[in-house]
């Protein structure tokens, strides 16, 4: 997966991770919902939507820690777990 079409939202995301996500989303016409913040043991989850879309309950996409988001040329979606290559620990 290339970084232009996929973005991995890390566990324990930092403010700089948020800035990178916001820039990646903007290139594809999406934005982070600033009114939704969810934190858990793995870090923050973010709600995203198309830029200029009307806000409504249940619309948009929720990105959880350690999920990879993919752009298919038309829409953004969370990558199936099987599509995300496993990371190997260094020997």
């Amino acid at each position: 997966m290339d970084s232009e079409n996929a973005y991995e939202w890390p566990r324990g995301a930092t403010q700089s991770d948020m800035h990178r996500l916001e820039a990646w989303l903007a290139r594809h016409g999406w934005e982070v919902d600033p009114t939704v913040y969810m934190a858990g043991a793995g870090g923050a989850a973010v709600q995203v939507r198309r830029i200029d879309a009307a806000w409504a309950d249940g619309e948009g996409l929720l990105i959880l820690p350690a999920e990879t988001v993919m752009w298919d040329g038309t829409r953004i979606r969370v990558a199936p777990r099987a599509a995300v290559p496993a990371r190997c620990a260094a020997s």
Side-chain angles (χ1 to χ4, degrees), residues 12-35:
T14 64
Q15 193 63 31
S16 61
D17 293 317
M18 178 62 82
H19 292 301
R20 282 191 292 277
L21 174 63
E22 289 172 336
W24 185 87
L25 289 167
R27 288 194 301 271
H28 301 298
W30 286 67
E31 65 186 355
V32 172
D33 177 351
T35 66

